[in-house]
Amino acid sequence: MLELPGGRPVRARSLRVPPAEPPAFGLYLGSGRAARRHDAVMTWPRRWLVWPDFRTPRHPDEAATAIEALHERAAAELVEVACGGGIGRTGTVLACLATLDGLGPDEAVAWVRAHHHARAVETPGQRRWVRWFADRPR
């Protein structure tokens, strides 16, 4: 379990590792194939975003809205975010969540690397996407 800078807990994991307990809600990053493979065992409410490995979300505005909703839910219930490896895409979402708690984009990436995984937010494109997310009008 990771505590965001503002104090909200979020579980971040790899989809390859089953959760110890089901979350109240999950945000999952991958392809339609990943969704079909994992949906059979996920019995909790969830949302899938089309987000290719090492890339940014296929539908940026949809992803931004989903991340903002995840942040709101984290205030009251156990939420999680996961992708195949639990590092790049998951780390990118965690950095976006950290910007919602007031960190700047570069500070948010550094925070995620210090608190989640040293290689989180793996690509320059993912780092640019965190900046885009932080700078977009709300």
Side-chain angles (χ1 to χ4, degrees):
M1 189 66 66
L2 185 66
E3 187 173 299
L4 295 173
R8 295 173 193 211
V10 175
R11 184 167 61 203
R13 67 178 179 93
S14 162
L15 285 168
R16 296 178 193 117
V17 178
E21 66 175 298
F25 181 81
L27 181 63
Y28 304 107
L29 320 165
S31 65
R33 188 178 70 199
R36 287 187 297 279
R37 184 171 57 248
H38 293 283
D39 270 346
V41 297
M42 292 178 172
T43 58
W44 52 89
R46 63 202 166 275
R47 180 169 184 182
W48 283 90
L49 297 176
V50 178
W51 193 323
D53 201 9
F54 297 104
R55 300 289 186 107
T56 58
R58 181 88 28 95
H59 307 286
D61 290 321
E62 176 188 341
T65 299
I67 293 166
E68 290 168 344
L70 186 71
H71 187 260
E72 288 303 313
R73 290 183 92 135
E77 57 191 18
L78 174 62
V79 299
E80 74 173 10
V81 59
C83 66
I87 299 170
R89 294 169 286 179
T90 296
T92 301
V93 169
L94 291 172
C96 291
L97 292 169
T99 69
L100 293 172
D101 279 350
L103 299 185
D106 294 335
E107 185 182 15
V109 170
W111 183 88
V112 170
R113 288 177 175 169
H115 293 89
H116 173 61
H117 195 286
R119 290 191 341 259
V121 195
E122 293 174 301
T123 69
Q126 290 172 342
R127 288 189 294 279
R128 281 190 301 274
W129 200 80
V130 173
R131 281 195 290 290
W132 173 85
F133 178 87
D135 292 341
R136 69 190 276 278
R138 302 216 194 307

